[in-house]
Amino acid sequence: MTLPTEPIGSIPRPDYLIAGLGDLAAGRIDAAALGELESRALADTISRFEETGSPVLTDGEQGKPSFATYPLAGLTDLAPDGVVIPFADGHTRQLPRLTAGPFRYATHADEYLTRAKALTDKPVKQAVIAASAVSLVYPGDGIEGYSQEQFIADLVNEAEADIRRSLDAGADSVQIDFTEGRLSLKLDPSGGLLRQFIDLNNAVLDRFTAEERAKIGVHTCPGGDQDSVHSLDVDYAGLLPALFDLKAGRFFVQLASEAEPERALEVIKANLKGDQRVFVGVIDPIDPRVETPEEVRDRVLAAAKYIPADRLGTCDDCGFSPFADDTSTSRDIAFAKITARVEGTKLAAEKLG
């Protein structure tokens, strides 16, 4: 037996790339010079990913400003005073606010995918941001001459294109990042906002065939930035039943950092649909300690008590640096943790086999 194992997305950027981002912002270098640094970082990331033995790679999001805002990079109809996301340690991240329509993505994720695929023969998955996350850029008081209904119609078109372009470019799979799912229950404990998010994302997924949706996954976690989270205190049982209403074939579920993983696994078992596979988080990117392969093995075997082995896989809980300036985890630790995941998953597969 073999068990699939995949990364989530981001890898901490090397120091020279982080410095380059600062230099670009200060006007000391131009976009072409930054692009050279991004290419250098991407090549190193792919090489080090291959050394881990990971059967599936990502580009490490070396060229993204963040996992959430890459479609907006370069747009002019934005103001900086959008939705604020508070983290448990007190720091915040702020989304931009849309000021005019029509809404279009400035960057599509297949641009990152194409660069990565040129550097490896291994399968490459591509992470994209959920339409529900991007929907937060529309202001609560509306935009004159551009209704929320018009915005949502444009957003669904753009989110579909983001996924479809990556599939057409040869992505092994496309992962939709849905970290705002758990957060929505903090913003609206009634679950109404979560249901709106599910319906919006399903409006995108409905545009794909069953065969295409088998290659589309959804990632959920309580956030991960600067060694902190935004919604780990929200009861997972409130999210998970709705999560599996999403019309995707794969689900990447944070579990390693969960206080009661077996309770979450019980909810997964009760709500998992027949055509869905679950990749359980067995690595905690926020914990600076590198897990042993044996710890990973035991986490997989615990999950296998609830999820049939032929519908089980493993992943990291979250990306290691979803925002480009996050230096809380080193590249060395990130790749050591990925190696442990790969080796521990093999040990679990041998035990299950």
Side-chain angles (χ1 to χ4, degrees):
M1 173 179 289
T2 59
L3 292 174
T5 186
E6 297 185 7
I8 290 301
S10 61
I11 296 293
R13 284 73 166 172
D15 290 344
Y16 59 80
L17 179 52
I18 294 174
L21 290 167
D23 289 339
L24 179 69
R28 290 187 291 268
I29 64 173
D30 60 13
L34 180 66
E36 292 178 3
L37 297 176
E38 289 174 347
S39 295
R40 176 182 166 193
L42 174 60
D44 182 69
T45 298
I46 294 295
S47 175
R48 295 191 67 175
F49 244 129
E50 291 180 332
E51 290 171 1
T52 69
S54 180
V56 177
L57 315 182
T58 75
D59 72 336
E61 301 189 348
Q62 301 300 287
K64 285 184 179 179
S66 82
F67 80 106
T69 59
Y70 70 87
L72 311 176
L75 291 183
T76 56
D77 294 325
L78 296 173
D81 57 344
V83 172
V84 175
I85 301 172
F87 285 78
D89 65 355
H91 88 275
T92 62
R93 294 285 184 177
Q94 188 166 23
L95 296 175
R97 171 176 58 87
L98 190 67
T99 60
F103 176 71
R104 298 289 185 270
Y105 280 17
T107 302
H108 289 87
D110 65 302
E111 297 179 26
Y112 307 112
L113 173 69
T114 300
R115 295 181 201 130
K117 283 178 60 65
L119 297 173
T120 183
D121 293 329
K122 286 196 170 185
V124 180
K125 71 184 289 187
Q126 182 57 53
V128 302
I129 189 60
S132 51
V134 183
S135 73
L136 296 173
V137 305
Y138 190 86
D141 56 358
I143 298 173
E144 185 177 356
Y146 188 55
S147 69
Q148 187 171 26
E149 290 74 19
Q150 290 172 308
F151 166 73
I152 291 299
D154 287 340
L155 172 58
V156 170
N157 287 338
E158 292 299 297
E160 176 198 359
D162 206 28
I163 296 170
R164 192 170 300 284
R165 285 174 57 152
S166 287
L167 290 175
D168 290 346
D172 183 65
S173 66
V174 175
Q175 171 191 292
I176 300 172
D177 286 327
F178 185 47
T179 183
E180 70 280 6
R182 197 165 180 176
L183 178 63
S184 73
L185 291 170
K186 178 177 284 189
L187 302 174
D188 176 14
S190 75
L193 180 59
L194 174 60
R195 179 46 56 186
Q196 290 177 32
F197 283 172
I198 296 293
D199 291 346
L200 174 56
N201 292 328
N202 272 339
V204 176
L205 291 166
D206 276 336
R207 298 189 174 188
F208 294 88
T209 66
E211 292 76 16
E212 289 169 333
R213 288 197 295 268
K215 298 182 69 174
I216 300 173
V218 177
H219 168 235
T220 181
C221 76
D225 181 44
Q226 299 179 13
D227 283 349
S228 189
V229 293
H230 56 53
S231 54
L232 189 60
D233 55 334
V234 174
D235 190 347
Y236 225 169
L239 169 68
L240 292 172
L243 182 74
F244 293 104
D245 285 339
L246 287 167
K247 299 175 183 179
R250 306 172 179 208
F251 292 83
F252 301 87
V253 180
Q254 162 266 342
L255 276 181
S257 58
E258 196 65 23
E260 299 180 272
E262 294 201 356
R263 179 169 175 264
L265 285 164
E266 289 177 349
V267 180
I268 292 172
K269 178 181 178 180
N271 290 277
L272 185 66
K273 295 178 175 58
D275 57 348
Q276 297 171 336
R277 179 187 288 273
V278 176
F279 292 74
V280 295
V282 293
I283 294 292
D284 181 0
I286 290 178
D287 185 350
R289 185 184 63 86
V290 177
E291 294 86 348
T292 67
E294 290 74 21
E295 286 178 282
V296 171
R297 175 200 63 198
D298 292 346
R299 288 171 176 173
V300 180
L301 295 178
K305 296 176 183 177
Y306 299 88
I307 303 168
D310 61 351
R311 299 171 64 192
L312 180 63
T314 67
C315 62
D316 311 309
D317 270 3
C318 187
F320 289 91
S321 182
F323 296 86
D325 61 356
D326 183 2
T327 59
S328 58
T329 301
S330 73
R331 284 170 72 81
D332 288 345
I333 288 177
F335 284 115
K337 282 175 169 279
I338 290 168
T339 300
R341 170 172 51 77
V342 172
E343 294 177 354
T345 302
K346 289 179 181 178
L347 292 177
E350 292 168 2
K351 189 76 173 179
L352 291 170

